[in-house]
Amino acid sequence: MIAPSILAADFARLAEAADAVKGADWLHVDVMDGHFVPNLTLGLPVVKAILASTDIPVDCHLMIDDPDRWALGYAEAGAHNVTVHAEAAADPVKLAHDIRAAGAKAGLSIKPRTPFEPYVELLSHYDTLLVMSVEPGFGGQEFIPEVLDKVRKARRLVDAGELTVIVEIDGGINSDTIEQAAEAGVDCFVAGSAVYGAADPAKAIEALRDQARVSTGKAR
Ligand code: DX5
Ligand code: ZN
């Protein structure tokens, strides 16, 4: 799966940005609050406008403090997947339950330096694991390959039937990095600049998907 990140699109033309990526599996929307990360992007009113303007399932990545208070609104608005940060959630089990009860999939994200093991049990309550491969906050950063160890561990547990999460990766994914991520076992690749920086975003998605498919085939 490829999830283009509209963080790299023109914020004055978000409906057109969604239209430009018709073949996308998910549309990744980065919500940043200027507290959990040193950047401020958009919030629920803009997400609602995006939801009304596209049929692509919306993948909300909440880089915010106090997701226990704010995440449910995104699920109730109709987001397909709502991801909160493990570092920010106070009661992640209740949060996942509430997100799911509102009809969305629940995602848990970990920053590059956050270990995977302490969250394994918790992940039984979640549908998606979002492994950050850059420090959250900005698009266009360089991929951190060390996080692939966490992807491999998650992949092993999923393949063994011990977890049922979609393994998603976010940050620095492009034609140079997607193959190693696919080989490590990623299911869903977020790509911002690699998609919206391309002359033809829809073609860029196809090319990334083809590359990932070949590498996934090699690894399994
Ligand atoms: C970073 C965001 C990412 C960002 C990825 O904090 O979570 O989704 O848009 O952008 P690229 O693909 O350019 O690294
Ligand atoms: Zn993101």
Side-chain angles (χ1 to χ4, degrees), residues 92-146:
V93 173
K94 179 177 187 298
L95 197 44
H97 177 269
D98 290 351
I99 291 170
R100 284 171 158 183
K105 293 195 179 303
L108 191 72
S109 183
I110 50 176
K111 298 204 278 184
R113 281 191 289 255
T114 300
F116 166 69
E117 286 83 355
Y119 298 103
V120 171
E121 254 176 65
L122 186 57
L123 281 167
S124 64
H125 300 273
Y126 281 84
D127 305 290
T128 308
L129 166 67
L130 178 60
V131 176
M132 288 305 300
S133 40
V134 298
E135 283 302 326
F138 301 92
Q141 302 183 77
E142 209 171 307
F143 183 73
I144 302 171
E146 286 76 18

Side-chain angles (χ1 to χ4, degrees), residues 5 7 28 30 32 61 63 132 136-140 170-172 190-193:
S5 167
L7 183 63
H28 186 84
D30 290 303
M32 305 186 190
H61 178 194
M63 285 159 277
M132 288 305 300
F138 301 92
D170 184 8
V190 176
S193 29

Side-chain angles (χ1 to χ4, degrees), residues 31-120:
V31 175
M32 305 186 190
D33 66 353
H35 292 273
F36 181 73
V37 288
N39 193 12
L40 183 67
T41 53
L42 49 84
L44 187 55
V46 178
V47 169
K48 284 181 175 167
I50 294 169
L51 284 163
S53 73
T54 184
D55 293 330
I56 303 171
V58 169
D59 176 30
C60 283
H61 178 194
L62 305 183
M63 285 159 277
I64 60 172
D65 280 344
D66 204 3
D68 302 72
R69 177 171 176 192
W70 301 111
L72 190 56
Y74 294 85
E76 286 171 343
H80 177 75
N81 184 76
V82 179
T83 290
V84 299
H85 266 269
E87 303 86 357
D91 189 347
V93 173
K94 179 177 187 298
L95 197 44
H97 177 269
D98 290 351
I99 291 170
R100 284 171 158 183
K105 293 195 179 303
L108 191 72
S109 183
I110 50 176
K111 298 204 278 184
R113 281 191 289 255
T114 300
F116 166 69
E117 286 83 355
Y119 298 103
V120 171

